[in-house]
Amino acid sequence: MGFSIIVHGGAGKIEAASAPSRIAGCRAAAETGYAVLERNGSALDAVQAAVVALENNPLFNAGTGSTLNREGKVENDAAIMDGATLRAGAVAAVSGVRNPVKLARKIMEAGPHILLAGEGAHGFAREHDVELCDPAELVVAAQRAHWEKEHGTVGAAALDAHGHLAAATSTGGVFDKLPGRVGDTPLLGCGTYANEYAAVSCTGLGEDIMRVTLARHAAYLVEQGAEASSAAREAIAYCSGKTRGEAGLILVDRDGGLGFARNSVNMPVCAMADDARVVLEI
Ligand code: GLY
Protein backbone atom coordinates (compact mmCIF):
# COMPACT_ATOMS: atom_id res chain seq x y z
CA MET A 1 0.00 0.00 0.00
CA GLY A 2 1.34 3.44 -0.93
CA PHE A 3 1.63 6.42 1.38
CA SER A 4 1.66 10.17 0.92
CA ILE A 5 1.52 13.46 2.78
CA ILE A 6 0.66 17.03 1.89
CA VAL A 7 1.16 20.15 4.03
CA HIS A 8 0.17 23.79 3.67
CA GLY A 9 1.45 27.00 5.21
CA GLY A 10 -1.71 29.06 4.89
CA ALA A 11 -3.71 30.98 2.30
CA GLY A 12 -2.79 34.61 1.73
CA LYS A 13 -0.49 36.85 -0.23
CA ILE A 14 3.19 36.19 0.18
CA GLU A 15 5.85 38.74 -0.65
CA ALA A 16 8.42 37.45 -3.13
CA ALA A 17 11.25 37.91 -0.63
CA SER A 18 9.73 35.54 1.91
CA ALA A 19 8.46 32.92 -0.56
CA PRO A 20 11.59 30.72 -0.56
CA SER A 21 11.71 30.43 3.23
CA ARG A 22 8.01 29.63 3.43
CA ILE A 23 8.22 26.91 0.81
CA ALA A 24 11.35 25.55 2.52
CA GLY A 25 9.43 25.46 5.82
CA CYS A 26 6.63 23.49 4.18
CA ARG A 27 9.11 21.11 2.60
CA ALA A 28 10.87 20.50 5.91
CA ALA A 29 7.51 19.79 7.57
CA ALA A 30 6.44 17.42 4.77
CA GLU A 31 9.77 15.59 5.05
CA THR A 32 9.28 15.24 8.81
CA GLY A 33 5.87 13.66 8.25
CA TYR A 34 7.11 11.57 5.34
CA ALA A 35 9.88 10.12 7.53
CA VAL A 36 7.19 8.86 9.93
CA LEU A 37 5.27 7.21 7.07
CA GLU A 38 8.48 5.68 5.68
CA ARG A 39 9.08 3.95 9.03
CA ASN A 40 5.62 2.40 8.67
CA GLY A 41 4.23 4.95 11.14
CA SER A 42 0.61 6.07 11.23
CA ALA A 43 -0.94 8.90 9.25
CA LEU A 44 -1.95 10.36 12.61
CA ASP A 45 1.65 10.52 13.83
CA ALA A 46 2.78 11.86 10.45
CA VAL A 47 0.34 14.78 10.35
CA GLN A 48 1.10 15.60 13.98
CA ALA A 49 4.86 15.63 13.32
CA ALA A 50 4.42 17.81 10.23
CA VAL A 51 2.20 20.31 12.03
CA VAL A 52 4.55 20.45 15.05
CA ALA A 53 7.37 21.35 12.62
CA LEU A 54 5.25 24.19 11.23
CA GLU A 55 4.16 25.32 14.72
CA ASN A 56 7.82 25.55 15.72
CA ASN A 57 8.70 27.60 12.64
CA PRO A 58 8.18 31.30 13.47
CA LEU A 59 7.37 32.09 9.83
CA PHE A 60 3.92 30.53 10.17
CA ASN A 61 0.81 31.61 12.07
CA ALA A 62 0.64 28.65 14.45
CA GLY A 63 2.44 27.92 17.72
CA THR A 64 5.53 30.14 17.74
CA GLY A 65 4.84 33.03 15.38
CA SER A 66 1.07 33.13 16.00
CA THR A 67 -0.81 36.30 15.23
CA LEU A 68 -2.14 38.60 17.98
CA ASN A 69 -5.70 39.29 19.04
CA ARG A 70 -7.09 42.75 19.79
CA GLU A 71 -5.52 42.68 23.24
CA GLY A 72 -2.11 41.84 21.82
CA LYS A 73 -2.31 38.22 23.01
CA VAL A 74 -1.95 34.86 21.30
CA GLU A 75 -4.92 32.45 21.35
CA ASN A 76 -4.52 29.23 19.40
CA ASP A 77 -6.89 26.77 17.72
CA ALA A 78 -5.90 23.27 16.54
CA ALA A 79 -7.42 19.92 15.61
CA ILE A 80 -6.37 16.42 14.66
CA MET A 81 -8.59 13.66 13.23
CA ASP A 82 -8.11 9.97 12.54
CA GLY A 83 -9.99 8.96 9.41
CA ALA A 84 -10.00 5.24 10.24
CA THR A 85 -11.87 5.63 13.55
CA LEU A 86 -13.35 9.14 13.30
CA ARG A 87 -11.67 9.89 16.62
CA ALA A 88 -10.60 13.51 16.96
CA GLY A 89 -9.25 16.07 19.40
CA ALA A 90 -9.31 19.85 19.21
CA VAL A 91 -8.51 22.99 21.19
CA ALA A 92 -9.89 26.49 20.84
CA ALA A 93 -8.73 29.88 22.10
CA VAL A 94 -6.01 28.36 24.26
CA SER A 95 -2.99 30.37 25.45
CA GLY A 96 0.42 29.32 26.71
CA VAL A 97 0.66 25.92 24.99
CA ARG A 98 3.78 25.50 22.87
CA ASN A 99 2.31 22.99 20.42
CA PRO A 100 -1.49 23.16 20.33
CA VAL A 101 -1.69 20.16 17.97
CA LYS A 102 -0.07 17.98 20.65
CA LEU A 103 -2.74 19.10 23.10
CA ALA A 104 -5.42 18.27 20.53
CA ARG A 105 -3.94 14.78 20.19
CA LYS A 106 -3.92 14.31 23.98
CA ILE A 107 -7.59 15.28 24.16
CA MET A 108 -8.32 12.76 21.42
CA GLU A 109 -6.43 9.98 23.21
CA ALA A 110 -7.98 10.75 26.62
CA GLY A 111 -11.62 11.01 25.50
CA PRO A 112 -14.55 11.36 25.98
CA HIS A 113 -14.50 14.98 24.75
CA ILE A 114 -13.35 16.26 21.37
CA LEU A 115 -13.02 20.03 21.82
CA LEU A 116 -11.75 21.92 24.87
CA ALA A 117 -11.47 25.72 24.98
CA GLY A 118 -9.61 28.45 26.87
CA GLU A 119 -8.83 27.88 30.52
CA GLY A 120 -10.25 24.36 30.44
CA ALA A 121 -7.92 23.40 27.62
CA HIS A 122 -4.97 24.96 29.46
CA GLY A 123 -5.85 23.07 32.64
CA PHE A 124 -6.09 19.81 30.68
CA ALA A 125 -2.64 20.49 29.20
CA ARG A 126 -1.21 21.04 32.70
CA GLU A 127 -2.73 17.80 33.97
CA HIS A 128 -1.57 15.75 30.99
CA ASP A 129 2.04 16.95 30.79
CA VAL A 130 1.61 18.86 27.54
CA GLU A 131 4.38 21.47 27.32
CA LEU A 132 3.27 24.89 28.53
CA CYS A 133 5.12 28.13 27.91
CA ASP A 134 4.94 31.80 28.68
CA PRO A 135 2.44 33.07 26.07
CA ALA A 136 4.97 35.81 25.22
CA GLU A 137 7.35 33.11 23.92
CA LEU A 138 4.96 32.45 21.02
CA VAL A 139 5.20 36.08 19.88
CA VAL A 140 7.93 36.78 17.37
CA ALA A 141 8.68 40.50 17.48
CA ALA A 142 10.49 40.60 14.15
CA GLN A 143 7.42 39.22 12.38
CA ARG A 144 4.93 41.62 13.96
CA ALA A 145 4.70 43.98 10.99
CA HIS A 146 3.98 41.10 8.60
CA TRP A 147 1.42 39.18 10.58
CA GLU A 148 -1.68 40.61 9.06
CA LYS A 149 -0.82 40.34 5.42
CA GLU A 150 1.33 37.24 5.20
CA HIS A 151 0.66 34.74 7.92
CA GLY A 152 -1.53 31.71 7.42
CA THR A 153 -2.81 28.68 9.22
CA VAL A 154 -0.82 25.45 8.83
CA GLY A 155 -2.04 21.93 8.19
CA ALA A 156 -1.24 18.43 7.00
CA ALA A 157 -3.12 15.47 5.55
CA ALA A 158 -1.68 11.99 5.07
CA LEU A 159 -2.33 8.41 3.97
CA ASP A 160 -0.22 5.73 5.66
CA ALA A 161 0.92 2.33 4.43
CA HIS A 162 -1.98 0.69 6.33
CA GLY A 163 -4.48 2.65 4.23
CA HIS A 164 -5.47 4.99 7.06
CA LEU A 165 -5.99 8.72 6.57
CA ALA A 166 -5.52 11.60 9.03
CA ALA A 167 -5.59 15.39 9.03
CA ALA A 168 -4.35 18.10 11.40
CA THR A 169 -4.57 21.89 11.37
CA SER A 170 -3.20 24.59 13.70
CA THR A 171 -3.51 28.37 13.77
CA GLY A 172 -3.17 31.60 15.68
CA GLY A 173 -6.39 32.66 13.93
CA VAL A 174 -6.90 36.03 12.31
CA PHE A 175 -5.04 39.23 13.15
CA ASP A 176 -6.81 41.60 15.57
CA LYS A 177 -9.57 39.08 16.39
CA LEU A 178 -11.68 39.56 19.49
CA PRO A 179 -10.50 37.61 22.53
CA GLY A 180 -12.32 34.28 22.55
CA ARG A 181 -12.88 34.23 18.79
CA VAL A 182 -12.70 30.67 17.44
CA GLY A 183 -12.18 29.96 13.74
CA ASP A 184 -12.80 26.98 11.50
CA THR A 185 -9.61 25.10 12.40
CA PRO A 186 -10.80 23.17 15.51
CA LEU A 187 -14.31 22.54 14.14
CA LEU A 188 -14.59 19.11 12.55
CA GLY A 189 -15.88 19.34 9.00
CA CYS A 190 -14.99 23.03 8.76
CA GLY A 191 -11.20 23.44 8.94
CA THR A 192 -10.26 19.82 9.57
CA TYR A 193 -11.79 16.47 8.59
CA ALA A 194 -10.76 12.88 7.93
CA ASN A 195 -12.71 9.71 7.25
CA GLU A 196 -12.05 6.50 5.30
CA TYR A 197 -12.26 8.36 1.96
CA ALA A 198 -10.29 11.56 2.43
CA ALA A 199 -8.29 13.73 4.84
CA VAL A 200 -8.62 17.49 4.50
CA SER A 201 -7.06 20.58 6.09
CA CYS A 202 -8.32 24.07 5.26
CA THR A 203 -6.93 27.59 5.56
CA GLY A 204 -8.36 31.04 5.03
CA LEU A 205 -11.08 33.12 6.64
CA GLY A 206 -12.61 30.88 9.28
CA GLU A 207 -15.99 32.56 9.36
CA ASP A 208 -16.57 31.80 5.67
CA ILE A 209 -15.07 28.30 5.82
CA MET A 210 -17.53 27.49 8.64
CA ARG A 211 -20.48 28.70 6.58
CA VAL A 212 -19.83 26.05 3.93
CA THR A 213 -18.31 23.30 6.17
CA LEU A 214 -15.49 23.25 3.66
CA ALA A 215 -13.47 20.23 4.80
CA ARG A 216 -16.49 17.93 4.97
CA HIS A 217 -17.72 19.27 1.64
CA ALA A 218 -14.42 18.34 -0.02
CA ALA A 219 -14.39 14.88 1.61
CA TYR A 220 -17.97 14.30 0.47
CA LEU A 221 -17.03 15.07 -3.12
CA VAL A 222 -14.35 12.36 -2.87
CA GLU A 223 -16.91 9.94 -1.39
CA GLN A 224 -19.12 10.66 -4.41
CA GLY A 225 -16.30 9.60 -6.73
CA ALA A 226 -14.42 12.80 -7.47
CA GLU A 227 -10.70 12.54 -8.00
CA ALA A 228 -8.61 14.31 -5.30
CA SER A 229 -7.52 17.29 -7.36
CA SER A 230 -11.03 17.88 -8.80
CA ALA A 231 -12.59 17.59 -5.34
CA ALA A 232 -10.19 20.23 -3.99
CA ARG A 233 -10.91 22.60 -6.88
CA GLU A 234 -14.68 22.03 -6.76
CA ALA A 235 -14.83 22.60 -3.01
CA ILE A 236 -12.94 25.89 -3.29
CA ALA A 237 -15.15 26.96 -6.20
CA TYR A 238 -18.19 26.18 -4.02
CA CYS A 239 -16.76 28.26 -1.16
CA SER A 240 -15.98 31.15 -3.53
CA GLY A 241 -19.49 30.96 -4.97
CA LYS A 242 -21.16 31.13 -1.56
CA THR A 243 -18.85 33.51 0.32
CA ARG A 244 -16.31 36.23 -0.27
CA GLY A 245 -13.64 34.73 1.94
CA GLU A 246 -10.13 33.79 1.00
CA ALA A 247 -9.74 30.02 1.33
CA GLY A 248 -7.51 27.11 0.44
CA LEU A 249 -7.37 23.41 1.22
CA ILE A 250 -5.21 20.33 0.89
CA LEU A 251 -6.56 16.81 0.52
CA VAL A 252 -5.37 13.19 0.35
CA ASP A 253 -7.65 10.36 -0.71
CA ARG A 254 -7.53 6.67 0.19
CA ASP A 255 -5.58 5.84 -2.97
CA GLY A 256 -2.91 8.41 -2.15
CA GLY A 257 -4.36 10.92 -4.62
CA LEU A 258 -3.30 14.46 -3.72
CA GLY A 259 -5.32 17.62 -4.19
CA PHE A 260 -4.94 21.26 -3.31
CA ALA A 261 -6.69 24.43 -4.37
CA ARG A 262 -6.99 28.05 -3.27
CA ASN A 263 -8.75 31.25 -4.23
CA SER A 264 -6.04 33.30 -2.51
CA VAL A 265 -3.00 34.64 -4.32
CA ASN A 266 -0.70 32.18 -2.55
CA MET A 267 -0.75 29.06 -0.38
CA PRO A 268 2.60 27.35 0.12
CA VAL A 269 2.20 23.60 -0.32
CA CYS A 270 4.53 20.63 -0.28
CA ALA A 271 3.34 17.12 -1.12
CA MET A 272 5.40 13.93 -1.06
CA ALA A 273 4.42 10.42 -2.11
CA ASP A 274 6.30 7.12 -2.02
CA ASP A 275 6.36 6.95 -5.81
CA ALA A 276 8.92 9.81 -5.62
CA ARG A 277 6.37 12.49 -6.41
CA VAL A 278 7.27 15.82 -4.80
CA VAL A 279 5.04 18.78 -5.49
CA LEU A 280 6.03 22.28 -4.39
CA GLU A 281 3.76 25.25 -4.89
CA ILE A 282 3.64 28.77 -3.56
N1 GLY B 1 -8.57 29.63 9.15
C1 GLY B 1 -8.07 30.15 10.34
C2 GLY B 1 -8.99 31.02 11.05
O1 GLY B 1 -9.82 31.70 10.46
O2 GLY B 1 -8.91 31.06 12.24
Side-chain angles (χ1 to χ4, degrees):
M1 183 97 202
F3 54 86
S4 54
I5 184 163
I6 182 165
V7 310
H8 71 76
K13 183 174 184 329
I14 293 174
E15 284 174 4
S18 67
S21 51
R22 279 166 205 279
I23 199 70
C26 283
R27 181 163 194 153
E31 282 171 353
T32 302
Y34 189 85
V36 173
L37 298 172
E38 234 177 356
R39 293 194 299 268
N40 215 20
S42 69
L44 208 52
D45 287 341
V47 294
Q48 178 174 323
V51 169
V52 166
L54 291 161
E55 287 179 336
N56 290 342
N57 185 332
L59 286 175
F60 298 100
N61 175 19
T64 303
S66 289
T67 196
L68 299 180
N69 69 15
R70 195 160 290 181
E71 292 179 346
K73 296 186 178 139
V74 169
E75 288 187 337
N76 290 104
D77 298 341
I80 189 163
M81 186 163 187
D82 179 14
T85 61
L86 300 185
R87 291 200 309 155
V91 289
V94 70
S95 296
V97 173
R98 189 168 306 281
N99 291 110
V101 75
K102 287 189 184 173
L103 175 54
R105 176 74 180 269
K106 271 279 196 258
I107 292 166
M108 181 188 114
E109 304 289 356
H113 303 310
I114 288 181
L115 174 59
L116 294 180
E119 280 305 312
H122 192 270
F124 181 97
R126 218 172 26 240
E127 282 162 24
H128 290 79
D129 294 326
V130 176
E131 187 183 358
L132 301 175
C133 64
D134 181 338
E137 286 177 45
L138 302 178
V139 179
V140 181
Q143 304 293 329
R144 196 175 291 248
H146 296 292
W147 272 326
E148 187 176 8
K149 55 185 176 185
E150 282 205 55
H151 269 54
T153 299
V154 304
L159 170 74
D160 64 30
H162 312 284
H164 296 159
L165 291 153
T169 316
S170 182
T171 189
V174 293
F175 180 70
D176 204 32
K177 64 188 181 180
L178 286 173
R181 179 266 187 189
V182 174
D184 59 300
T185 296
L187 305 181
L188 302 186
C190 296
T192 311
Y193 193 71
N195 62 12
E196 72 270 45
Y197 292 95
V200 186
S201 170
C202 300
T203 167
L205 184 60
E207 281 72 7
D208 282 335
I209 291 171
M210 286 185 233
R211 287 180 224 285
V212 297
T213 54
L214 185 59
R216 178 68 186 126
H217 186 79
Y220 185 71
L221 292 172
V222 174
E223 285 179 45
Q224 296 304 300
E227 191 239 334
S229 55
S230 331
R233 280 196 305 273
E234 254 187 70
I236 289 297
Y238 177 76
C239 185
S240 302
K242 296 279 183 196
T243 76
R244 293 171 173 217
E246 209 166 54
L249 67 83
I250 55 172
L251 184 155
V252 181
D253 71 22
R254 59 181 171 177
D255 302 315
L258 297 162
F260 57 92
R262 60 168 201 264
N263 63 16
S264 52
V265 178
N266 300 110
M267 180 178 72
V269 165
C270 181
M272 299 177 71
D274 68 336
D275 58 7
R277 266 178 300 164
V278 177
V279 179
L280 286 167
E281 168 102 3
I282 189 82

